[in-house]
Amino acid sequence: MEKGNLSVNELVLVGVGGILGAGFFLASGIAIHTAGPIVLLDYLISAFIMSEVFCALSEMIVANPVDGSFRVYAEEALGDIGGFLSGWVYWTAGVFIMSSEVTASAIFTKFWFPKVPLWIFALIYSIMVICVNALGTKNFGTVEAWFSTIKISALFIITIIGVFALFGAFGNKGNIGFKNYYINGGILPNGIKGFLGAMLMSLIPFGGIEVTAMTASKTKKPKKYVPIARRYIVLFLSILYLSSIAVLLGVIPWYEVSTKESPFIKLLSFTKIPYIDSIMNFIILTAALTTMNGAMYGVTQVMYSLGKGRFAPTFLSKLSKRDVPIYALLISSFGLLIAVVLSYILPKDVYEYITSATGFIQFFNWIIILYTFIKYRPMLKKKNPDYFECQRRGFPLRPWLTIILLAAVLLSTLTVPKQAIGFFGGLILLIAIFIFYLIAKKLNLFDKW
């Protein structure tokens, strides 16, 4: 794709756009209701995990800024199985994440147009995202930057409004106040089980850093811009998430937070602003669409990389006049179409289990990235005398610690029945991808493709 088009500011906004999605606005209510005030520790741990994975990625990107990013690194460090699993695991998770985001976007839009069939909005948004990605990196970056600015500004304003509400600026003091952090059962009202049950829901809003990794090689100066972008993205998201959740806990008692709608809607209701439900709906819609747009970019890039790396048909590595891997984009779009169709024809519970399973394998890919980093770093340092070290101290203990924390997050889903089904569904998907690898190797497809 187009080289050297993105500035560091656009890279930061693309990164935030790929991470800050509807999941935060919607899943935060589930996390708060499950854990209570201790959920702040869940989000803090999640921020640390995201920062460490991002740190590992940035080191590898600076040393070797190539198309395909973490998939290529996994292949070079772990062999064929690493490159194959990393690419196909990410692509599978990304396609289903896109399908859930486009379905959610259609539902949000139906709020204003209740008589229009859901599939029409899903089709419109799918075509729109495909077209944006077909225009090339620069147009993709510009669109993501604009919408990311809207999301960041909106969440910042919501948090400020919450601070004013916390200090009684809108009257109706009632249950509002810092006492909500320690009354109603204390900081750990649902015990250790509640704390563990909220871990996955607090980590999901941090997912999506792979989009930044895929975009990094398209910047003007990857070796200079990537470390800067990582710092700002981690700082922005950690401050925004933790401050907004802290304010929510002070304004709304944890047990009153609904799991059916975004808790930010109730927070904004204190302002008595007209059409506040429509305003919040637009913000969440914007978040869903930009996450979907970033996910489409990421899965297209990884499919393109799989084609170049012998793990998918080679025609997928062909580029258009705009340097867009058009066949990889079309295959990813076809995957999105299948996922959306499945969302309509499968029973609702079955499809929810599939999407929750893809959330599991998305974070399993983070484990692959970290293990790749442990094996790849010594190789990179030998080749690069001026090697950039994000983890100056604690290697390899820090990546191993993060792997243990990620494993703990994935295992914590077993404490929540619905999440446990996603855990086992994720294992089944991983096994299916591994069997696909064994069959492809047995039939010698890697050389025939």
Side-chain angles (χ1 to χ4, degrees):
M1 293 182 80
E2 299 162 282
K3 298 287 183 180
N5 275 327
L6 297 181
S7 66
V8 66
N9 291 334
E10 286 175 322
L11 182 61
V12 170
L13 291 171
V14 164
V16 173
I19 299 170
L20 177 53
F24 174 69
F25 292 101
L26 299 174
S28 55
I30 300 172
I32 292 170
H33 196 82
T34 302
I38 196 67
V39 75
L40 282 170
L41 181 57
D42 282 310
Y43 275 95
L44 193 62
I45 292 171
S46 297
F48 172 78
I49 291 173
M50 184 267 282
S51 176
E52 289 298 289
V53 176
F54 214 157
C55 195
L57 266 175
S58 67
E59 274 202 32
M60 294 186 287
I61 292 167
V62 169
N64 189 17
V66 295
D67 291 337
S69 187
F70 56 87
R71 194 216 64 78
V72 175
Y73 308 147
E75 181 183 354
E76 292 183 1
L78 309 177
D80 284 353
I81 190 169
F84 184 93
L85 286 179
S86 181
W88 281 105
V89 162
Y90 177 74
W91 188 86
T92 304
V95 164
F96 278 101
I97 288 168
M98 280 194 298
S99 74
S100 62
E101 293 287 352
V102 75
T103 302
S105 299
I107 292 170
F108 299 145
T109 310
K110 200 172 172 64
F111 174 83
W112 296 302
F113 307 100
K115 294 182 180 179
V116 180
L118 206 64
W119 68 268
I120 291 179
F121 293 124
L123 180 64
I124 290 171
Y125 291 137
S126 297
I127 293 172
M128 182 178 74
V129 165
I130 292 166
C131 289
V132 169
N133 278 268
L135 291 173
T137 306
K138 185 62 180 176
N139 291 283
F140 161 78
T142 302
V143 171
E144 281 289 286
W146 275 104
F147 280 110
S148 294
T149 302
I150 293 173
K151 289 193 293 186
I152 294 169
S153 302
L155 188 55
F156 178 75
I157 292 169
I158 291 169
T159 303
I160 294 299
I161 289 172
V163 171
F164 280 117
L166 192 59
F167 287 97
F170 302 108
N172 189 25
K173 241 335 206 176
N175 292 328
I176 298 175
F178 294 103
K179 59 186 179 183
N180 285 329
Y181 296 125
Y182 54 86
I183 64 171
N184 305 313
I187 64 169
L188 197 65
N190 294 324
I192 192 67
K193 186 177 179 181
F195 170 73
L196 293 173
M199 288 188 76
L200 180 64
M201 287 300 162
S202 66
L203 185 59
I204 283 173
F206 289 98
I209 58 174
E210 297 91 339
V211 176
T212 311
M214 288 294 180
T215 317
S217 64
K218 314 299 185 296
T219 59
K220 296 171 184 175
K221 299 176 182 178
K223 294 186 178 183
K224 180 180 179 182
Y225 289 172
V226 170
I228 297 172
R230 185 199 70 84
R231 284 196 298 271
Y232 280 114
I233 291 169
V234 170
L235 189 65
F236 273 159
L237 292 174
S238 299
I239 292 174
L240 279 173
Y241 285 177
L242 288 166
S243 61
S244 58
I245 294 297
V247 168
L248 266 176
L249 287 166
V251 175
I252 308 169
W254 69 266
Y255 59 87
E256 290 185 9
V257 173
S258 173
T259 58
K260 303 294 184 183
E261 65 175 9
S262 172
F264 293 98
I265 293 176
K266 187 169 183 179
L267 189 152
L268 289 174
S269 67
F270 287 100
T271 64
K272 310 297 182 187
I273 298 173
Y275 307 110
I276 194 64
D277 50 354
S278 287
I279 295 171
M280 193 65 207
N281 198 60
F282 173 75
I283 293 168
I284 298 175
L285 172 62
T286 302
L289 286 175
T290 48
T291 301
M292 179 188 169
N293 192 41
M296 176 61 84
Y297 181 86
V299 296
T300 298
Q301 284 296 297
V302 85
M303 182 56 73
Y304 165 72
S305 177
L306 284 165
K308 286 183 70 176
R310 303 179 300 114
F311 304 125
T314 52
F315 75 87
L316 294 171
S317 62
K318 292 184 179 178
L319 301 173
S320 70
K321 291 180 180 178
R322 289 180 175 269
D323 286 334
V324 175
I326 196 68
Y327 294 114
L329 176 61
L330 290 174
I331 289 292
S332 299
S333 303
F334 183 66
L336 171 61
L337 174 64
I338 292 173
V340 171
V341 170
L342 287 176
S343 72
Y344 284 97
I345 64 175
L346 288 177
K348 184 181 177 182
D349 288 345
V350 174
Y351 188 72
E352 285 181 355
Y353 296 150
I354 292 174
T355 52
S356 62
T358 56
F360 169 89
I361 63 174
Q362 178 187 21
F363 295 119
F364 182 83
N365 195 48
W366 283 17
I367 293 177
I368 296 176
I369 289 171
L370 288 165
Y371 186 63
T372 298
F373 176 57
I374 292 169
K375 296 293 184 180
Y376 200 39
R377 191 195 206 198
M379 297 164 58
L380 291 173
K381 289 189 79 170
K382 285 182 181 179
K383 297 177 183 177
N384 297 276
D386 299 324
Y387 183 78
F388 162 73
E389 290 187 342
C390 179
Q391 292 189 2
R392 288 186 173 86
R393 297 177 182 176
F395 181 86
L397 292 178
R398 281 170 60 179
W400 276 120
L401 172 62
T402 311
I403 287 173
I404 292 169
L405 286 173
L406 276 166
V409 170
L410 297 181
L411 290 172
S412 72
T413 60
L414 297 174
T415 63
V416 182
K418 283 189 176 180
Q419 291 182 22
I421 294 171
F423 175 89
F424 291 112
L427 281 180
I428 291 170
L429 277 172
L430 285 173
I431 292 169
I433 293 170
F434 182 68
I435 291 172
F436 178 32
Y437 167 79
L438 293 177
I439 292 171
K441 197 169 183 66
K442 181 79 173 176
L443 298 176
N444 205 26
L445 292 180
F446 298 156
D447 294 325
K448 292 178 182 178
W449 279 341

